[in-house]
């Protein structure tokens, strides 16, 4: 934890409550708004003042976790700035704010292999450092196991397929859906098979080694600094097997590299530099990687009219190609993992 | 002859694979459909199609029906995408994966009843509809790295009806892409007879040419690009004597099917729409014997088809009814045993006559309204009117 001894500037940035800065000792030279945050700079440091929307209990845990990590010398997350009263976040005019101190950074570029390797290494260290962090209360109390969720989602996909087989398809999205169903559904079944093999149904890999998970790897939530990759957003945290995070990270960025087998291998090596995976976790990871999650996502968006059909069709088309590259890459991964 | 205009709503038929049969009176439409997933990542474009073989034979022919059997062979030429063509990567994969992670836990399971209305959107995949296939110089394709898919489709269909049988014809071909690597081929084959009223069976029996009729068909849920044909099929015949006029009254179930090329872009283009209706025909002037006909025959002839709107088709057709009171073979066997008095009279020489549509008799409306009057009284009344 770090308390700021900086004088307060009188000019209030637009949209920021005047009382907020009074609770912190922050002096700034420039300020600009970024979505739900203000980027603030003074002569020596940079800060991000966030306005948090949603559950404050979950935020509190995230900030405590962030504080726990920085307290143990982990440089992959920004430092939380305490207010004058030593609180990690404040509520002003019914709005919740917190401040992160930012080192000088550059944007994370998922197309650069080196950025991915740094992130994998950082993630391994983050999981390892988080081992001692226990949350008092699990807010997001999920009882469902991944295989059960995957099974339910596959059933939904099968239901729609059965319906489309009986009726005339009406657009290219449905055409692609029907055309690629067999392949993608079999990928889903294989994923389930792997998870069962990993024994996660009986609570093995998934529950035996629960850890804090970042659970979100959007490129704007990552940054590169001189000490490695910064995980800027821990507020989406979850608990579970570390393979959940690893699978999400790989599924997020390997499509940009056409599921390059060499790169995947390096990512795994860099992760294992600071953390290790047992056989069960390896099998569980492959299962998670194989599941056609975005096939389900696009279908969900289509069924609920959440996205335009031409756009969804284009995304789906790209995903089908991803899946073919992924299938090839994962087949090879099974041999060396 | 007087034109009778009527309207009829047709419902789109489901699409069937690998064949769909539309059997009518004197013609059969056979739609062959094939979908082929090519062993490639993505087809760039379907270039052309060649008809390599079309043959048939008639292994069975009896009682006014013929079984046609044959094979048709095509080669579809297409181009694959190269590895370099796959330069599209989804930059938003990370956002989508993170979003998906949340939704996988929280989203409700899919139920078809909760689904939003499915939209019809023109396809981005290409397709071509052809009337005939011109010969292709294969060499020009080989040099350009074009791949080929060969397909041979066996077919078989009954053709019902009297008349001079014509050679089966391939009347329409549709080839298109219906997915990243799926080719769709649709072929329409027409088997038909040339209606000939002078044919023996119609000449020897009681026949009646009904007035030409014009029917306006409206097709739901699709748009017509081109009408290929109209097929009419009747079944479940029954007859009675109309108590009022004393003429023969025929009832049957009539199925009308319009075969057309859909204007919708993408997927199957050869579509059919049908309607099933009860038909009631009064054969005025037709001699009515004391027992019902043994065989009913109907020859429907489509005279003209006109697309009048994207969902409307005007069809002009005429219908020739033929009734047999005794089956020919049975009649011959029994001829020696029957007395001349029993066969004369009822079975006269062949008559093919055009009749005017049934019109109301003088005073009929007045008679109908007066429910208290008995049939005998009605007849007396009409007689009096005619005398006047």
């Amino acid at each position: 934890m770090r308390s700021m001894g900086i004088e307060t500037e009188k000019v209030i940035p637009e949209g920021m409550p005047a009382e907020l800065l009074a609770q912190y000792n922050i002096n700034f030279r420039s300020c600009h708004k970024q979505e739900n945050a203000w980027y603030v700079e003074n002569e020596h440091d940079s800060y991000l003042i966030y306005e948090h929307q949603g559950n404050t209990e979950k935020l509190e845990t995230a900030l405590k976790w962030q504080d726990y990590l920085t307290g143990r010398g982990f440089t992959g997350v920004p430092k939380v700035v305490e207010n004058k009263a030593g609180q990690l976040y404040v509520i002003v005019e019914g709005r919740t704010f917190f401040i992160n101190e930012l080192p000088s950074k550059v944007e994370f570029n998922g197309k650069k292999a080196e950025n991915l390797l740094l992130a994998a290494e950082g993630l391994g260290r983050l999981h390892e450092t988080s081992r001692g962090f226990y949350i008092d209360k699990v807010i997001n109390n999920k009882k469902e196991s991944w295989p059960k969720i995957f099974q339910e989602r596959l059933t939904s996909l099968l239901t729609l397929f059965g319906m489309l087989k009986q009726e005339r398809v009406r657009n290219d999205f449905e055409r692609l859906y029907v055309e690629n169903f067999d392949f993608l559904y079999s990928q889903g079944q294989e994923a389930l098979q792997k998870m069962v093999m990993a024994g996660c149904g009986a609570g093995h890999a998934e529950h035996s080694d629960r850890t804090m998970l970042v659970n979100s790897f959007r490129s704007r939530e990552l940054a590169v600094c001189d000490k490695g990759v910064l995980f800027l957003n821990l507020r989406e945290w979850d608990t579970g097997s570390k393979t959940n995070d690893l699978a999400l990270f790989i599924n997020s960025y390997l499509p940009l590299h056409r599921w390059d087998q060499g790169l995947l291998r390096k990512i795994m090596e860099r992760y294992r530099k600071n953390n290790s995976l047992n056989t069960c976790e390896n099998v569980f990871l492959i299962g998670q990687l194989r599941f056609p999650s975005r096939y389900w996502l696009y279908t969900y968006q289509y069924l609920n009219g959440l996205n335009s059909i031409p756009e969804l069709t284009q995304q789906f088309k790209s995903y089908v190609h991803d899946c073919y590259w992924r299938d090839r890459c994962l087949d090879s991964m099974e041999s060396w993992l | 002859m007087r034109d009778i205009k009527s309207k009829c709503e047709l419902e789109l038929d489901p699409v069937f694979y690998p064949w769909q049969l539309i059997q009518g009176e004197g013609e059969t439409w056979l739609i062959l459909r094939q979908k082929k997933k090519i062993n490639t990542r993505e087809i760039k474009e379907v270039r052309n199609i060649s008809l390599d073989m079309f043959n048939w034979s008639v292994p069975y022919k009896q009682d006014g029906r013929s079984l046609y059997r044959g094979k048709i062979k095509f080669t579809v030429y297409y181009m694959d995408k190269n590895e370099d063509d796959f330069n599209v990567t989804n930059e938003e994969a990370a956002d989508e994966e993170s979003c998906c992670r949340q939704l996988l836990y929280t989203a409700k399971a899919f139920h078809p009843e909760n689904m939003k209305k499915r939209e019809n959107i023109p396809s981005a995949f290409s397709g071509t509809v052809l009337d005939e296939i011109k010969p292709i110089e294969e060499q020009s394709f080989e040099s350009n790295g074009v791949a080929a898919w060969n397909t041979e489709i066996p077919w078989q269909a009954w053709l019902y009806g009297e008349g001079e049988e014509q050679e089966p014809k391939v009347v329409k071909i549709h080839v298109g892409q219906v997915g990243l690597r799926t080719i769709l081929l649709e072929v329409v084959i027409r088997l038909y007879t040339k209606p000939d009223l002078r044919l023996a069976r119609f000449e020897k029996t009681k026949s009646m040419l009904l007035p030409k009729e014009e029917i306006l068909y409206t097709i739901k849920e699709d748009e017509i690009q081109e009408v290929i044909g109209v097929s009419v099929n009747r079944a479940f015949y029954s007859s009675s004597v109309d108590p009022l006029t004393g003429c023969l009254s025929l009832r049957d179930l009539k199925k009308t099917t319009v075969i057309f090329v859909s204007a919708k872009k993408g997927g199957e283009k050869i579509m059919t729409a049908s309607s099933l209706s009860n038909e009631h025909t009064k054969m005025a002037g037709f001699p009515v014997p004391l027992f019902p006909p043994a065989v009913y025959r109907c020859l429907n002839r489509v005279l003209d088809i006109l697309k009048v709107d994207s969902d409307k088709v005007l069809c002009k057709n005429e219908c020739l009814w033929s009734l047999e009171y005794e089956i020919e073979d049975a009649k011959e066997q029994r001829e020696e045993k029957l007395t001349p008095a029993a066969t004369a009279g009822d079975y006269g020489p062949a008559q093919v006559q055009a009749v005017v549509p049934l019109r109301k008799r003088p005073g009929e409306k007045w008679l109908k309204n007066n429910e208290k009057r008995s049939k005998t009284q009605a007849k007396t009344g009409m007689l009096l009117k005619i005398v006047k």
Side-chain angles (χ1 to χ4, degrees):
Chain A
M1 276 180 253
R2 177 174 169 179
S3 186
M4 305 298 301
I6 307 164
E7 285 177 16
T8 309
E9 182 81 11
K10 285 180 183 175
V11 182
I12 308 296
E14 198 185 337
M16 189 189 288
E19 279 182 48
L20 174 66
L21 288 177
Q23 295 200 27
Y24 289 89
N25 293 322
I26 294 179
N27 181 21
F28 60 89
R29 200 168 54 183
S30 67
C31 174
H32 64 267
K33 185 109 198 291
Q34 299 177 338
E35 292 183 25
N36 286 329
W38 289 266
Y39 183 73
V40 173
E41 272 183 323
N42 64 23
E43 286 173 3
H44 310 288
D45 300 305
S46 311
Y47 305 96
L48 260 179
I49 304 174
Y50 289 96
E51 180 173 0
H52 177 73
Q53 318 271 349
N55 191 337
T56 48
E57 273 187 295
K58 188 159 186 177
L59 171 70
E60 194 175 341
T61 307
L63 295 178
K64 278 183 182 171
W65 178 29
Q66 203 171 322
D67 198 42
Y68 176 88
L69 290 169
T70 49
R72 268 147 193 80
F74 179 66
T75 53
V77 291
K79 285 178 182 171
V80 190
V81 179
E82 283 183 344
N83 70 350
K84 289 173 183 171
Q87 293 168 318
L88 294 174
Y89 68 97
V90 292
I91 298 173
V92 181
E93 295 171 9
R95 296 155 71 187
T96 310
F97 296 91
F98 66 94
I99 302 176
N100 278 345
E101 186 189 343
L102 289 179
S104 58
K105 61 178 178 70
V106 290
E107 277 187 8
F108 178 84
N109 185 350
K111 284 185 177 173
K112 288 184 181 171
E114 189 49 40
N115 280 194
L116 298 186
L117 298 178
L118 283 174
E121 194 176 329
L123 188 63
R125 197 179 299 130
L126 184 146
H127 285 155
E128 187 59 31
T129 316
S130 301
R131 272 179 181 276
F133 181 78
Y134 295 103
I135 48 173
D136 305 331
K137 191 173 163 186
V138 177
I139 299 162
N140 201 1
N141 186 20
K142 291 163 189 166
K143 291 172 185 169
E144 307 282 356
S145 67
W146 274 114
K148 188 160 186 255
I149 290 167
F150 282 179
Q151 183 60 64
E152 277 175 12
R153 299 317 179 196
L154 281 180
T155 308
S156 292
L157 294 173
L158 186 64
T159 309
L160 179 64
F161 178 70
M163 203 183 96
L164 293 179
K165 282 291 266 186
Q166 287 176 353
E167 294 180 17
R168 190 181 179 190
V169 293
R170 299 193 177 181
N171 49 55
D172 283 349
F173 179 84
E174 291 185 2
R175 235 158 248 134
L176 292 184
Y177 185 93
V178 173
E179 183 189 37
N180 295 288
F181 179 82
D182 287 348
F183 170 66
L184 293 170
Y185 188 78
S186 68
Q187 291 280 302
Q189 282 183 316
E190 207 177 322
L192 272 177
Q193 207 178 20
K194 292 274 180 248
M195 289 177 167
V196 173
M197 273 168 67
C200 62
H204 248 255
E206 196 181 10
H207 304 294
S208 60
D209 191 16
R210 284 180 88 85
T211 184
M212 290 295 284
L213 304 173
V214 181
N215 209 29
S216 178
F217 297 100
R218 295 177 179 94
S219 56
R220 62 177 176 276
E221 292 164 350
L222 301 170
V224 182
C225 64
D226 54 350
K227 289 173 184 168
V229 160
L230 277 175
F231 297 93
L232 299 173
N233 180 14
L234 300 185
R235 297 184 302 283
E236 307 283 336
W237 67 266
D238 196 359
T239 57
S241 165
K242 55 198 170 191
T243 56
N244 290 355
D245 258 357
L246 197 52
L248 179 61
F249 177 74
I250 293 169
N251 268 331
S252 298
Y253 292 103
L254 259 283
L256 297 176
H257 298 266
R258 293 187 185 183
W259 285 85
D260 183 334
Q261 295 176 32
L263 179 60
L264 179 60
R265 199 166 183 159
K266 281 181 191 163
I267 285 174
M268 292 304 296
E269 280 166 10
R270 293 290 275 271
Y271 180 86
R272 284 163 162 171
K273 228 168 123 178
N274 299 303
N275 214 318
S276 62
L277 296 173
N278 60 35
T279 314
C280 257
E281 285 168 330
N282 283 340
V283 179
F284 189 66
L285 174 67
I286 293 174
Q288 284 188 309
L289 288 173
R290 257 199 208 281
F291 188 77
S293 50
R294 276 194 276 152
Y295 181 46
W296 175 83
L297 176 72
Y298 300 142
T299 307
Y300 176 82
Q301 290 178 328
Y302 175 72
L303 294 175
N304 292 286
L306 299 175
N307 211 344
S308 82
I309 295 174
E311 201 176 320
L312 276 176
T313 309
Q314 203 51 44
Q315 286 168 324
F316 190 8
K317 203 169 156 179
S318 166
Y319 184 59
V320 170
H321 293 311
D322 279 354
C323 286
Y324 282 101
W325 284 313
R326 188 180 68 183
D327 185 37
R328 204 168 49 184
C329 182
L330 294 183
D331 281 350
S332 125
M333 186 188 188
E334 283 185 41
S335 62
W336 54 258
L337 195 65
Chain B
M1 272 177 245
R2 195 164 63 106
D3 282 357
I4 301 165
K5 280 189 183 171
S6 58
K7 289 179 181 177
C8 180
E9 276 204 347
L10 305 179
E11 290 210 359
L12 208 59
D13 295 324
V15 169
F16 294 107
Y17 284 81
W19 72 82
Q20 189 177 342
L21 265 176
I22 301 109
Q23 280 172 336
E25 291 146 4
E27 66 178 357
T28 296
W29 298 87
L30 177 62
I31 304 170
L32 302 173
R33 290 195 179 92
Q34 296 265 306
K35 252 185 198 174
K36 173 72 179 173
K37 264 189 192 174
I38 305 293
N39 193 17
T40 179
R41 289 282 305 283
E42 189 175 340
I43 296 168
K44 196 173 184 180
E45 65 171 323
V46 176
R47 293 291 294 272
N48 218 326
I49 181 168
S50 72
L51 175 59
D52 305 330
M53 182 188 77
F54 178 48
N55 64 22
W56 69 90
S57 62
V58 186
Y60 183 88
K61 187 176 180 181
Q62 206 177 336
D63 295 335
R65 59 177 191 158
S66 310
L67 181 69
Y68 282 75
R69 188 177 288 161
K71 278 181 186 170
I72 189 162
K73 200 173 169 183
F74 292 97
T75 306
V76 178
Y77 298 93
Y78 62 92
M79 274 183 84
D80 283 341
K81 269 193 175 177
N82 298 321
E83 198 66 20
D84 300 336
D85 295 329
F86 300 105
N87 51 8
V88 186
T89 48
N90 188 354
E91 305 278 339
E92 291 169 3
D95 283 12
E96 289 173 0
E97 286 289 344
S98 292
C99 168
C100 188
R101 179 55 66 99
Q102 308 293 332
L103 276 171
L104 277 169
Y105 266 123
T106 56
K108 286 181 182 170
F110 163 65
H111 292 290
E113 60 269 23
N114 298 338
M115 189 178 173
K116 295 267 173 188
K117 197 184 171 193
R118 291 159 59 211
E119 282 180 61
N120 281 307
I121 295 182
S123 174
F125 297 117
S126 61
T128 321
V129 180
L130 303 161
D131 291 325
E132 57 175 339
I133 296 177
K134 289 172 185 169
I136 300 171
E137 292 172 18
E138 286 192 28
Q139 287 175 345
S140 64
F141 286 125
E142 282 168 8
S143 57
N144 292 329
V146 175
W149 164 49
N150 295 298
T151 179
E152 185 178 294
I153 314 167
W155 59 272
Q156 176 171 287
W158 284 103
L159 171 63
Y160 295 89
E162 305 284 348
E164 187 188 332
E165 283 173 7
Q166 306 293 305
E167 285 191 347
K169 265 190 180 174
V170 176
V171 291
K172 206 62 83 179
I173 296 157
H174 166 230
V175 63
Q177 198 181 333
V178 287
L180 295 178
R181 55 196 183 99
T182 308
I183 293 175
L184 168 70
L185 176 65
E186 292 180 290
V187 186
V188 185
I189 298 172
R190 186 187 179 205
L191 312 175
Y192 65 110
T193 59
K194 196 175 174 185
D196 188 353
L197 304 186
R198 293 165 305 169
L199 278 177
R201 203 173 283 274
F202 276 93
E203 285 193 342
K204 284 177 187 168
T205 57
K206 311 285 184 193
S207 303
M208 178 172 282
L209 187 65
L210 294 181
K212 287 173 190 166
E213 57 174 3
E214 272 187 358
I215 304 174
L216 184 67
Y217 295 112
T218 307
I219 293 170
K220 289 178 186 173
E221 294 178 12
D222 211 327
E223 291 164 30
I224 305 163
Q225 183 180 310
E226 182 191 344
V227 183
I228 302 173
V230 175
S231 165
V232 179
N233 201 4
R234 290 175 174 86
F236 303 110
Y237 301 102
S238 69
S239 60
S240 59
V241 177
D242 187 60
L244 200 63
T245 59
C247 69
L248 189 69
S249 172
L250 282 175
R251 287 177 189 276
D252 63 86
L253 202 59
K254 178 183 170 187
K255 187 180 182 188
T256 309
T257 305
V258 174
I259 302 117
F260 63 97
V261 179
S262 170
K264 285 186 179 171
K265 221 176 155 210
E268 295 85 5
K269 292 280 280 180
I270 312 291
M271 301 302 294
T272 62
S274 304
S275 128
L276 208 58
S277 58
N278 288 308
E279 193 176 44
H280 186 193
T281 314
K282 285 184 181 175
M283 315 279 264
F286 211 83
V288 183
L290 291 173
F291 52 89
V295 178
Y296 300 86
R297 252 186 221 98
C298 186
L299 182 65
N300 198 83
R301 192 157 52 169
V302 176
L303 302 171
D304 196 15
I305 309 170
L306 185 69
K307 175 191 156 191
V308 290
D309 206 343
S310 63
D311 65 338
K312 288 185 177 64
V313 178
L314 186 67
C315 181
K316 193 184 232 181
N317 59 0
E318 63 179 10
C319 188
L320 176 72
W321 279 94
S322 158
L323 305 175
E324 267 184 52
Y325 284 85
E326 191 164 359
I327 297 166
E328 288 296 314
D329 298 344
K331 191 179 158 189
E332 282 166 17
Q333 285 170 14
R334 286 170 46 201
E335 217 148 43
E336 293 171 7
K337 295 174 188 172
L338 293 171
T339 58
T343 51
D346 292 345
Y347 303 98
Q351 287 180 7
V352 176
Q353 63 176 108
V355 292
V356 289
L358 197 68
R359 69 180 179 87
K360 285 180 176 146
R361 291 184 296 170
E364 189 180 1
K365 191 180 173 187
W366 174 74
L367 282 169
K368 266 189 182 172
N369 290 338
N370 193 347
E371 289 173 1
K372 289 177 184 174
R373 281 177 174 268
S374 66
K375 280 181 185 174
T376 329
Q377 282 173 317
K379 276 179 185 170
T380 317
M382 193 174 70
L383 179 69
L384 285 171
K385 194 139 188 164
I386 290 166
V387 170
K388 272 183 184 178

